[in-house]
Amino acid sequence: MKVPLVDLKRQYVQIQSEIATAIQQVITDTAFVLGKYTEQFEVEFARYCQVQHCVGLNSGSDGLLLAYIACGVKAGDEVITVAHTFFATTEPLAHLGATPVFVDIDPTTYLIDPEKIEAAITPKTKVIVPVHLYGQMADMTNIMAIARKYNLKVIEDCAQAHGATHQGQKAGTFGDIGIYSFYPGKNLGAYGDAGCIVTNNSEYAQLVRKLRDHGRSSKYEYDIAGYSSRMDGLQAAILSTKLKYLEKWNKARRKAAAHYNELLPEEIKKPVETKNNRHVYHLYVIEVANRNRVLSYLTENGVEAGIHYPIPLHLQPPYSASVMSHTSLPRTEAAAKNILSLPLFPEITDEELQYIVRQVKTAIK
Ligand SMILES: Cc1ncc(COP(=O)(O)O)c(C=O)c1O
């Protein structure tokens, strides 16, 4: 048997005719960049997140860049976040002359440990960036309390958390701005690059709208220097079509994760859904000893597993030569050595899950 880490085709075939109609409409209306399909998706996604504003963008990465700019991050500022994330979380800071300050994770959830944040705050700190990694939200109750105490802004990286909640409230709606990625493999994925920001702050929404479109105030008038970070009409129409299925797909992910939890042996560290959280299992991440050996065995036996992520950000070249070389993140580094993402997508079958578990059991012997 061969099981891919993610199979986007299985999902596409279920909605093929709806997608074809949606694409055809955009082309017929020649609404290619921004336009009515992007506006419609923005309204629908804001409603889904129960937030006032959604601004459609070309990617989650530009969402982060524009969110940092909107929050006033400038040269010399510090941003507190984790090194256990995708590079895009901190990448824009290099362009702004700001510095990421990495704190360690909670080893149970792999998410930012709120208890590590206060010690990392300095007079230069401007923003805290919790990353809701793997589909589970960070402890926003405690993070927001710290942010309020020190008057810091909060940007939530929700790239992997479409539909995740904390205390019943959706990702991206606790802090000042939330950013989402709609990269194809995400829980809500476009058929190309796309992203957005969500916020309850009208000024941030207005500024990001302007920044995504060259800083324009009218067709040939520019208030500020901006970027070309707009959402395409085609991606928006595809996302509107797929958004209707997001809850069903998230439920299927949760069911597959519960099945893994049941079948995998005791000695394997499995994902933990924290009390008051709803995990949407963008990834199903386990920890095993001899991870690289287990990964090779799975590969040889048709199971495509992954590592998210093998090298923490503080050890990557843009940071390793700087002040970050002093950073000690033992839990982050330990996780990077042992984690393994098993295949999980809404359409995965029980037979596939059983096959994967059998291979894992043999591999860890
Ligand atoms: C945690 C995290 N942040 C940011 C991004 C960047 O999003 P995008 O690929 O849409 O630019 C991603 C996804 O790739 C991600 O997983």
Short mmCIF file of all heavy atoms in Angstrom, two decimals, residues 134-168:
data_model
loop_
_atom_site.label_atom_id
_atom_site.label_comp_id
_atom_site.label_asym_id
_atom_site.label_seq_id
_atom_site.Cartn_x
_atom_site.Cartn_y
_atom_site.Cartn_z
N TYR A 134 0.17 23.12 13.84
CA TYR A 134 -0.39 21.76 13.65
C TYR A 134 -1.92 21.74 13.71
O TYR A 134 -2.54 20.69 13.61
CB TYR A 134 0.13 20.77 14.69
CG TYR A 134 1.63 20.59 14.76
CD1 TYR A 134 2.23 20.16 15.94
CD2 TYR A 134 2.44 20.82 13.66
CE1 TYR A 134 3.61 19.96 16.03
CE2 TYR A 134 3.81 20.65 13.73
CZ TYR A 134 4.39 20.22 14.92
OH TYR A 134 5.75 20.03 14.99
N GLY A 135 -2.57 22.90 13.93
CA GLY A 135 -4.03 22.91 14.02
C GLY A 135 -4.56 23.17 15.41
O GLY A 135 -5.76 23.11 15.65
N GLN A 136 -3.65 23.46 16.36
CA GLN A 136 -4.10 23.74 17.73
C GLN A 136 -3.67 25.14 18.17
O GLN A 136 -2.54 25.57 17.90
CB GLN A 136 -3.55 22.71 18.70
CG GLN A 136 -3.81 23.08 20.16
CD GLN A 136 -3.93 21.92 21.10
OE1 GLN A 136 -4.96 21.69 21.69
NE2 GLN A 136 -2.85 21.17 21.24
N MET A 137 -4.56 25.83 18.85
CA MET A 137 -4.26 27.20 19.29
C MET A 137 -3.39 27.23 20.54
O MET A 137 -3.55 26.42 21.45
CB MET A 137 -5.56 27.96 19.54
CG MET A 137 -6.28 28.32 18.26
SD MET A 137 -7.75 29.29 18.59
CE MET A 137 -7.02 30.78 19.27
N ALA A 138 -2.50 28.22 20.56
CA ALA A 138 -1.70 28.48 21.75
C ALA A 138 -2.62 28.99 22.87
O ALA A 138 -3.79 29.29 22.63
CB ALA A 138 -0.64 29.52 21.41
N ASP A 139 -2.07 29.08 24.06
CA ASP A 139 -2.86 29.48 25.24
C ASP A 139 -3.12 30.99 25.19
O ASP A 139 -2.44 31.78 25.84
CB ASP A 139 -2.07 29.08 26.49
CG ASP A 139 -2.75 29.53 27.77
OD1 ASP A 139 -3.83 30.16 27.70
OD2 ASP A 139 -2.18 29.25 28.84
N MET A 140 -4.14 31.38 24.40
CA MET A 140 -4.39 32.80 24.18
C MET A 140 -4.88 33.52 25.43
O MET A 140 -4.69 34.73 25.56
CB MET A 140 -5.38 32.99 23.03
CG MET A 140 -4.83 32.61 21.67
SD MET A 140 -3.22 33.33 21.28
CE MET A 140 -3.60 35.07 21.20
N THR A 141 -5.47 32.80 26.37
CA THR A 141 -5.93 33.46 27.60
C THR A 141 -4.73 34.07 28.32
O THR A 141 -4.72 35.26 28.65
CB THR A 141 -6.64 32.43 28.52
OG1 THR A 141 -7.67 31.82 27.77
CG2 THR A 141 -7.19 33.08 29.77
N ASN A 142 -3.68 33.26 28.52
CA ASN A 142 -2.51 33.77 29.24
C ASN A 142 -1.67 34.73 28.39
O ASN A 142 -1.11 35.69 28.89
CB ASN A 142 -1.65 32.61 29.74
CG ASN A 142 -2.25 32.02 31.01
OD1 ASN A 142 -2.67 32.77 31.90
ND2 ASN A 142 -2.36 30.72 31.06
N ILE A 143 -1.61 34.45 27.09
CA ILE A 143 -0.80 35.33 26.21
C ILE A 143 -1.41 36.73 26.16
O ILE A 143 -0.71 37.73 26.26
CB ILE A 143 -0.68 34.70 24.80
CG1 ILE A 143 0.16 33.42 24.88
CG2 ILE A 143 -0.06 35.69 23.81
CD1 ILE A 143 0.08 32.53 23.66
N MET A 144 -2.74 36.81 26.06
CA MET A 144 -3.38 38.13 26.00
C MET A 144 -3.22 38.87 27.34
O MET A 144 -3.08 40.10 27.35
CB MET A 144 -4.87 38.00 25.63
CG MET A 144 -5.13 37.55 24.20
SD MET A 144 -4.20 38.44 22.93
CE MET A 144 -4.87 40.08 23.10
N ALA A 145 -3.22 38.13 28.45
CA ALA A 145 -3.04 38.79 29.76
C ALA A 145 -1.65 39.43 29.83
O ALA A 145 -1.49 40.57 30.29
CB ALA A 145 -3.23 37.76 30.87
N ILE A 146 -0.64 38.71 29.32
CA ILE A 146 0.73 39.26 29.33
C ILE A 146 0.80 40.47 28.39
O ILE A 146 1.39 41.51 28.73
CB ILE A 146 1.76 38.17 28.91
CG1 ILE A 146 1.77 37.03 29.92
CG2 ILE A 146 3.15 38.77 28.74
CD1 ILE A 146 2.47 35.76 29.45
N ALA A 147 0.22 40.34 27.21
CA ALA A 147 0.26 41.44 26.24
C ALA A 147 -0.38 42.70 26.82
O ALA A 147 0.14 43.80 26.66
CB ALA A 147 -0.45 41.02 24.94
N ARG A 148 -1.49 42.52 27.52
CA ARG A 148 -2.18 43.69 28.12
C ARG A 148 -1.30 44.30 29.22
O ARG A 148 -1.14 45.52 29.29
CB ARG A 148 -3.53 43.27 28.70
CG ARG A 148 -4.61 43.31 27.63
CD ARG A 148 -6.00 43.05 28.19
NE ARG A 148 -6.73 42.24 27.23
CZ ARG A 148 -7.01 40.96 27.37
NH1 ARG A 148 -6.67 40.31 28.47
NH2 ARG A 148 -7.65 40.31 26.42
N LYS A 149 -0.72 43.44 30.04
CA LYS A 149 0.11 43.92 31.16
C LYS A 149 1.27 44.78 30.66
O LYS A 149 1.60 45.80 31.27
CB LYS A 149 0.63 42.70 31.94
CG LYS A 149 1.46 43.02 33.14
CD LYS A 149 1.70 41.77 33.97
CE LYS A 149 2.84 41.96 34.94
NZ LYS A 149 3.33 40.69 35.49
N TYR A 150 1.89 44.38 29.54
CA TYR A 150 3.08 45.10 29.04
C TYR A 150 2.77 45.99 27.83
O TYR A 150 3.67 46.50 27.19
CB TYR A 150 4.18 44.09 28.68
CG TYR A 150 4.75 43.39 29.89
CD1 TYR A 150 4.20 42.19 30.33
CD2 TYR A 150 5.80 43.94 30.61
CE1 TYR A 150 4.70 41.54 31.46
CE2 TYR A 150 6.31 43.31 31.73
CZ TYR A 150 5.76 42.11 32.15
OH TYR A 150 6.26 41.47 33.27
N ASN A 151 1.48 46.11 27.51
CA ASN A 151 1.06 46.95 26.38
C ASN A 151 1.74 46.54 25.06
O ASN A 151 2.30 47.36 24.35
CB ASN A 151 1.36 48.42 26.73
CG ASN A 151 0.57 49.35 25.84
OD1 ASN A 151 -0.45 48.95 25.27
ND2 ASN A 151 1.06 50.56 25.68
N LEU A 152 1.68 45.25 24.78
CA LEU A 152 2.29 44.73 23.55
C LEU A 152 1.19 44.33 22.56
O LEU A 152 0.08 43.99 22.96
CB LEU A 152 3.14 43.49 23.87
CG LEU A 152 4.29 43.71 24.85
CD1 LEU A 152 4.96 42.38 25.19
CD2 LEU A 152 5.32 44.68 24.26
N LYS A 153 1.53 44.38 21.28
CA LYS A 153 0.58 43.93 20.27
C LYS A 153 0.73 42.42 20.09
O LYS A 153 1.77 41.84 20.42
CB LYS A 153 0.89 44.62 18.94
CG LYS A 153 0.90 46.14 19.05
CD LYS A 153 -0.09 46.73 18.10
CE LYS A 153 0.03 48.23 17.98
NZ LYS A 153 -0.40 48.95 19.17
N VAL A 154 -0.33 41.81 19.57
CA VAL A 154 -0.32 40.36 19.33
C VAL A 154 -0.75 40.07 17.89
O VAL A 154 -1.81 40.53 17.45
CB VAL A 154 -1.26 39.62 20.32
CG1 VAL A 154 -1.35 38.13 19.98
CG2 VAL A 154 -0.78 39.81 21.76
N ILE A 155 0.11 39.36 17.17
CA ILE A 155 -0.24 38.89 15.82
C ILE A 155 -0.30 37.37 15.90
O ILE A 155 0.69 36.73 16.26
CB ILE A 155 0.81 39.33 14.77
CG1 ILE A 155 0.87 40.87 14.68
CG2 ILE A 155 0.50 38.72 13.40
CD1 ILE A 155 2.00 41.40 13.80
N GLU A 156 -1.45 36.81 15.59
CA GLU A 156 -1.60 35.35 15.65
C GLU A 156 -1.28 34.75 14.28
O GLU A 156 -1.90 35.13 13.28
CB GLU A 156 -3.03 34.96 16.03
CG GLU A 156 -3.43 35.37 17.42
CD GLU A 156 -4.91 35.08 17.65
OE1 GLU A 156 -5.31 33.91 17.63
OE2 GLU A 156 -5.67 36.04 17.82
N ASP A 157 -0.35 33.80 14.24
CA ASP A 157 -0.07 33.08 13.00
C ASP A 157 -1.01 31.86 12.96
O ASP A 157 -0.79 30.86 13.66
CB ASP A 157 1.40 32.65 12.96
CG ASP A 157 1.78 31.99 11.64
OD1 ASP A 157 0.89 31.45 10.96
OD2 ASP A 157 2.98 31.99 11.29
N CYS A 158 -2.06 32.00 12.15
CA CYS A 158 -3.12 30.97 12.08
C CYS A 158 -3.00 30.14 10.80
O CYS A 158 -3.98 29.53 10.36
CB CYS A 158 -4.50 31.61 12.10
SG CYS A 158 -4.72 32.91 13.31
N ALA A 159 -1.81 30.15 10.20
CA ALA A 159 -1.63 29.50 8.89
C ALA A 159 -2.03 28.02 8.91
O ALA A 159 -2.38 27.46 7.88
CB ALA A 159 -0.19 29.64 8.43
N GLN A 160 -1.98 27.40 10.12
CA GLN A 160 -2.30 25.97 10.21
C GLN A 160 -3.54 25.74 11.06
O GLN A 160 -3.74 24.63 11.56
CB GLN A 160 -1.09 25.22 10.79
CG GLN A 160 0.18 25.42 9.99
CD GLN A 160 1.33 24.52 10.41
OE1 GLN A 160 1.19 23.65 11.27
NE2 GLN A 160 2.48 24.72 9.79
N ALA A 161 -4.37 26.76 11.24
CA ALA A 161 -5.42 26.63 12.27
C ALA A 161 -6.81 27.08 11.83
O ALA A 161 -7.56 27.62 12.63
CB ALA A 161 -4.98 27.41 13.51
N HIS A 162 -7.17 26.82 10.59
CA HIS A 162 -8.50 27.20 10.10
C HIS A 162 -9.57 26.40 10.84
O HIS A 162 -9.64 25.18 10.68
CB HIS A 162 -8.66 26.91 8.61
CG HIS A 162 -7.46 27.32 7.78
ND1 HIS A 162 -6.26 26.66 7.84
CD2 HIS A 162 -7.32 28.30 6.89
CE1 HIS A 162 -5.41 27.25 7.02
NE2 HIS A 162 -6.02 28.25 6.43
N GLY A 163 -10.37 27.08 11.62
CA GLY A 163 -11.45 26.39 12.35
C GLY A 163 -11.06 25.99 13.77
O GLY A 163 -11.91 25.51 14.52
N ALA A 164 -9.80 26.18 14.15
CA ALA A 164 -9.39 25.86 15.52
C ALA A 164 -9.98 26.90 16.46
O ALA A 164 -10.14 28.07 16.09
CB ALA A 164 -7.87 25.86 15.63
N THR A 165 -10.30 26.47 17.69
CA THR A 165 -10.82 27.42 18.68
C THR A 165 -10.12 27.26 20.02
O THR A 165 -9.57 26.20 20.34
CB THR A 165 -12.35 27.27 18.90
OG1 THR A 165 -12.60 25.95 19.41
CG2 THR A 165 -13.16 27.50 17.64
N HIS A 166 -10.18 28.36 20.79
CA HIS A 166 -9.74 28.36 22.19
C HIS A 166 -10.89 29.00 22.96
O HIS A 166 -11.35 30.08 22.58
CB HIS A 166 -8.45 29.19 22.33
CG HIS A 166 -8.01 29.43 23.74
ND1 HIS A 166 -7.52 28.43 24.54
CD2 HIS A 166 -8.02 30.56 24.50
CE1 HIS A 166 -7.22 28.94 25.73
NE2 HIS A 166 -7.51 30.22 25.73
N GLN A 167 -11.39 28.33 23.96
CA GLN A 167 -12.59 28.80 24.71
C GLN A 167 -13.74 29.10 23.73
O GLN A 167 -14.48 30.07 23.92
CB GLN A 167 -12.28 30.08 25.50
CG GLN A 167 -11.05 30.02 26.37
CD GLN A 167 -11.33 29.39 27.73
OE1 GLN A 167 -12.35 28.71 27.92
NE2 GLN A 167 -10.43 29.56 28.67
N GLY A 168 -13.85 28.32 22.68
CA GLY A 168 -14.94 28.49 21.72
C GLY A 168 -14.75 29.63 20.72
O GLY A 168 -15.62 29.86 19.88
#
